[in-house]
Amino acid sequence: GIAQIGVTGLAVMGRNLARNFARNGFTVAVHNRSWEKTASLVAEHGDEGTFVPSESVADFVASLERPRKVVVMVKAGAATDAVIDELVPFLEEGDIVVDAGNAHFPDTVRRENALRAQGLHFVGSGVSGGEEGALLGPSIMPGGTRESYASLGPILETIAAKVDGVPCCTYVGPDGAGHFVKMVHNGIEYADMQLIAEAYDLLKQGLGASAAEIGEIFAEWNTGDLESFLIEITADVLQHVDAATGSAFVDVVLDQAEQKGTGRWTVQNGLDLGVPITGIAEATFARALSGGVAQREAARGVLPAATTPWEVTDRDAFVEDVRLALYASKVVAYSQGFDQIAAASEQFGWDIDRGAMARIWRGGCIIRARFLNRITEAYERAPHLPLLLADEYFAGAVGNGVAAWRRIVAGAALHGVPTPAFSSSLAYYDGVRAERLPAALIQAQRDFFGAHTYRRTDRDGSFHTLWSGDRTEQDA
Ligand code: NDP
């Protein structure tokens, strides 16, 4: 074989990844279940580099240098299993199969186990950045063995996005670690989008500002600490005018958010691990609420608001308050996401370097942002930091905005503006910093009705009170 890397599955994503490899000077073996996609790739883009097309899986595998590196980029789920089953009989010990699709991490753990038992390396790799990222440089999150990364890593690092010359690709950890990190990335993306949407709504309802005016505010914000791809495109979207009606585009879009399911996976896993990822959960539920047409119709005009209109007098001060509240809420959402990565890393023995994850999200992906440098720095200062929010920089930045954050959340509540992500992030902030929580009462209740026992503040041990008897306390 002569090809250094192969790609099977040549729909939008696979085609663009193959072109990215070829444009970077790699000889790329290409294959697709149906021949037309392979033929059209070579016909349309053959001049961009060296492609070695094959019609059969046998020829495709034979065209690769050993150890073979095959990137599978097909529909996630059963299709991925079907393609792996077809490939494996032709592969030999030490060959590497990379699943670059959007697999759910437990599937990746299962596939890695099965292939390892056959002497093959299986690399479940998160790839972020959509079609454009795949072609011009995605953020790549590969899992699997360190041994496979030694030969595969340099190729992936070559095609990944670069920020300050540093590739947005690094080894993540064993088996499902890469797809797990990609999943949390998507969950954080949900939270970030919801927070931006709430900020937009606050500016709209508080100031009565037009979409275009709010777009200008976001464009201004994009020159500071909030600078990010999502803020940038928000400014752009808000200034876009609908050609058919002449209205602001955002005003003619139906207000029902859809989802493909990665937010749901992230929230389900947060529950499994017992990590409070309230920002991601509220964002996922906010999409569900928006899509609950029957419930919204039943409520509209029936549930009283009992509010007065929001009449903001100092426009600039209000805009700055919203900006500070957005930044603080965003820090909470990211802090929670990194907690989830830490918990999974511990649970599955993945040893994930969180600072490195923030580094490879700086380019190529949807949540790319200036702010990620700060996260990398925080984990460089303290690799085992128990709470990102408590890092000296973030504690300072959020502390600086906390009064503004309270004004905004209180104002939203008083004037009936729904801010689930802003509000729950502030509640998290107050919960996690509290000297004493009402959890003590929960424990007492649990002991009362279920003899679940409790611990005391003044001595070690577990205790139970005989609630239905003489109420003496026993060692449990
Ligand atoms: P699709 O998810 O639409 O999948 C189409 C490809 O899968 C085609 O090449 C198709 O072959 C192949 N395929 C489907 N079923 C089978 C099967 N049973 N056996 C063999 N091949 C099969 O392609 P996309 O390019 O949109 O996405 C590819 C992957 O990337 C997915 O996992 C998706 O979730 C992920 N993705 C990631 C994005 C990102 O930003 N990271 C964005 C979009 C997608 P055929 O041509 O013969 O039908």
Side-chain angles (χ1 to χ4, degrees):
I2 56 158
Q4 290 147 299
I5 187 114
V7 179
T8 181
L10 301 173
V12 256
M13 290 296 291
R15 161 178 300 244
N16 281 357
L17 268 187
R19 291 172 61 196
N20 190 348
F21 285 123
R23 288 168 167 207
N24 277 286
F26 297 107
T27 299
V28 192
V30 285
H31 171 267
N32 191 67
R33 175 177 62 176
S34 47
W35 170 248
E36 310 88 81
K37 285 197 180 71
T38 316
S40 76
L41 167 61
V42 177
E44 288 162 31
H45 304 288
D47 59 344
E48 292 176 10
T50 313
F51 295 99
V52 184
S54 295
E55 210 162 342
S56 73
V57 174
D59 289 348
F60 171 62
V61 170
S63 71
L64 285 156
E65 268 177 8
R66 294 213 56 207
R68 301 181 182 93
K69 298 168 196 73
V70 182
V71 176
V72 179
M73 200 46 158
V74 300
K75 216 173 186 57
T80 305
D81 285 312
V83 171
I84 293 170
D85 288 348
E86 260 191 279
L87 278 169
V88 163
F90 298 101
L91 298 176
E92 293 168 271
E93 192 163 340
D95 286 351
I96 303 167
V97 177
V98 184
D99 175 14
N102 266 340
H104 193 11
F105 80 93
D107 288 335
T108 305
V109 172
R110 167 177 60 78
R111 290 170 183 144
E112 200 275 340
N113 259 297
L115 265 67
R116 186 153 32 86
Q118 301 182 66
L120 301 172
H121 295 283
F122 184 76
V123 174
S125 180
V127 176
S128 176
E131 280 178 53
E132 189 177 290
L135 182 62
L136 303 176
S139 170
I140 309 179
M141 297 151 249
T145 58
R146 273 199 186 276
E147 192 191 341
S148 62
Y149 195 80
S151 61
L152 179 69
I155 303 179
L156 297 182
E157 288 180 15
T158 304
I159 68 148
K162 309 283 183 306
V163 175
D164 305 330
V166 180
C168 295
C169 172
T170 194
Y171 175 68
V172 177
D175 57 67
H179 277 135
F180 185 90
V181 166
K182 172 67 184 351
M183 178 189 79
V184 175
H185 162 283
N186 284 33
I188 290 175
E189 176 184 314
Y190 273 55
D192 220 338
M193 291 169 69
Q194 175 65 23
L195 290 168
I196 290 172
E198 289 179 19
Y200 151 74
D201 202 23
L202 285 159
L203 294 168
K204 183 176 157 186
Q205 309 226 25
L207 301 175
S210 70
E213 286 164 348
I214 301 168
E216 279 169 35
I217 294 170
F218 275 95
E220 169 66 27
W221 287 353
N222 200 42
T223 62
D225 285 338
L226 282 169
E227 181 190 325
S228 62
F229 172 71
L230 282 170
I231 297 277
E232 182 191 326
I233 66 162
T234 300
D236 206 349
V237 166
L238 289 173
Q239 285 166 345
H240 182 59
V241 174
D242 176 53
T245 59
S247 304
F249 172 75
V250 71
D251 292 335
V252 298
V253 176
L254 192 68
D255 62 343
Q256 295 169 20
E258 297 175 12
Q259 49 187 315
K260 289 207 292 191
T262 40
R264 184 169 60 233
W265 287 347
T266 316
V267 178
Q268 284 168 338
N269 173 263
L271 293 173
D272 287 344
L273 295 176
V275 180
I277 46 166
T278 57
I280 299 170
E282 290 294 354
T284 309
F285 286 134
R287 290 195 191 188
L289 186 149
S290 77
V293 178
Q295 290 78 10
R296 290 178 64 187
E297 267 172 18
R300 191 177 297 134
V302 174
L303 301 183
T307 56
T308 51
W310 204 347
E311 279 155 14
V312 172
T313 47
D314 188 338
R315 183 186 190 275
D316 290 349
F318 181 76
V319 170
E320 181 61 3
D321 275 3
V322 175
R323 189 186 72 83
L324 289 166
L326 173 58
Y327 191 76
S329 304
K330 180 170 159 136
V331 173
V332 166
Y334 278 69
S335 182
Q336 294 175 339
F338 279 89
D339 267 2
Q340 185 175 12
I341 291 175
S345 184
E346 172 79 27
Q347 167 107 356
F348 302 114
W350 285 337
D351 197 23
I352 297 174
D353 175 349
R354 288 171 290 171
M357 298 307 104
R359 191 183 323 115
I360 65 174
W361 290 346
R362 292 184 308 161
C365 63
I366 306 298
I367 63 171
R368 60 185 183 262
R370 180 200 284 200
F371 154 94
L372 290 162
N373 281 319
R374 303 286 196 180
I375 298 182
T376 304
E377 287 161 14
Y379 287 114
E380 275 165 8
R381 278 192 284 277
H384 300 289
L385 189 64
L387 183 73
L388 183 61
L389 193 55
D391 163 74
E392 62 191 42
Y393 169 76
F394 287 114
V398 172
N400 194 33
V402 72
W405 199 7
R406 294 193 194 288
R407 283 193 292 272
I408 289 299
V409 169
L414 276 175
H415 299 288
V417 179
T419 54
F422 271 54
S423 309
S424 72
S425 299
L426 179 57
Y428 176 89
Y429 175 86
D430 281 328
V432 80
R433 67 171 193 85
E435 284 292 334
R436 202 160 155 74
L437 288 168
L441 179 57
I442 306 282
Q443 283 299 83
Q445 292 166 333
R446 294 177 72 245
D447 190 60
F448 188 108
F449 66 68
H452 292 303
T453 77
Y454 52 90
R455 285 174 294 150
R456 298 181 55 101
T457 56
D458 54 357
R459 54 191 147 90
D460 287 341
S462 288
F463 306 93
H464 169 56
T465 290
L466 295 173
W467 294 102
S468 52
D470 63 2
R471 304 211 163 178
T472 54
E473 183 172 81
Q474 304 184 318
D475 289 324

